[in-house]
Amino acid sequence: MARPAHALEAAAAPSSAPSGPVPDPLRDGMLRYLAFTSDLGEAFKLLISRRLYLGSYAVVALYGAVDTADKGRRAHARALAAQQARQAPSAVPLPAAAAAAVAAASTAAAACASCLPGAPPASLYRAHAASISEQPGYPVAVPVAAAVLDTALWHSAASLAIPGVLINRTVWAVRHLVARPAAAARLHPRAAALLPPAAGLALIPLVVHHIDEGVTEWMDAHLRPHLPREAQPESSTHHAAH
């Protein structure tokens, strides 16, 4: 259950390239349906072995881990591109006369400042200005770690915890309803055995999209505004399936 998209990657592409999100096979392709495995395991929990039930969660956990690693890789690429853009020299150099005027003004300002009583040497002003202009920003590892955290939290809530608990409790409730004497007297034993899994299965297409959207909106409002731009999902609207 998830899906982000790609702003800086599209911005870094040549202007002749088509605009729009970069294709994400883990979020937009057939691999996306792997996130339904644990929902099916919960729905059919009463009819399958414990090994198959736990295996359904293992499949979703592996899918989430692969998607988390992929989003970390994408954030690393965006962070590197942003870092290189910050460190790149200006594409429009100042005219020679303007550059000379700026240099002369800087020298005069430093000389005047050094004449003040108790002022630091002029070299300190120049060194401080150079250190500010050459600041590289936060390390590349910061947006990578933030993207990994964002994707892991999204999958933990939207792909595993919330739908798993919801379907599990639905199956449990229907199972107890059909076990009541009044219902048991009217239902065929086979129907009573199939109704709980059928209820859990029917719930999947009704709730999973809403769970995805709810988790995405909550994270967009409370978590993602605090992440580095390179770590944020490239398009929150991509979280709308599962």
Side-chain angles (χ1 to χ4, degrees), residues 64-133:
V66 172
D67 189 45
T68 299
D70 177 67
K71 298 307 170 284
R73 176 188 63 81
R74 290 171 182 260
H76 181 265
R78 293 194 298 271
L80 279 181
Q83 188 179 71
Q84 291 170 0
R86 286 193 299 267
Q87 294 174 348
S90 174
V92 183
L94 287 173
V102 170
S106 300
T107 303
C112 290
S114 62
C115 294
L116 296 175
S123 59
L124 184 59
Y125 289 94
R126 290 191 293 269
H128 182 62
S131 67
I132 292 175
S133 64

Side-chain angles (χ1 to χ4, degrees), residues 194-237:
L194 291 177
L195 271 177
L201 189 63
L203 193 63
I204 295 174
L206 298 178
V207 302
V208 292
H209 294 287
H210 299 293
I211 293 172
D212 279 5
E213 292 169 0
V215 173
T216 299
E217 290 174 4
W218 187 91
M219 294 182 69
D220 284 345
H222 298 285
L223 174 66
R224 288 169 178 161
H226 305 289
L227 300 180
R229 188 177 67 173
E230 295 86 353
Q232 294 180 13
E234 294 151 331
S235 173
S236 314
T237 58

Side-chain angles (χ1 to χ4, degrees), residues 116-178:
L116 296 175
S123 59
L124 184 59
Y125 289 94
R126 290 191 293 269
H128 182 62
S131 67
I132 292 175
S133 64
E134 294 169 4
Q135 289 241 351
Y138 42 73
V140 172
V142 172
V144 173
V148 167
L149 175 64
D150 176 272
T151 310
L153 288 176
W154 198 94
H155 278 295
S156 297
S159 294
L160 287 169
I162 298 176
V165 170
L166 187 59
I167 295 171
N168 179 282
R169 292 298 86 192
T170 300
V171 172
W172 176 88
V174 175
R175 181 187 180 190
H176 280 266
L177 283 175
V178 299

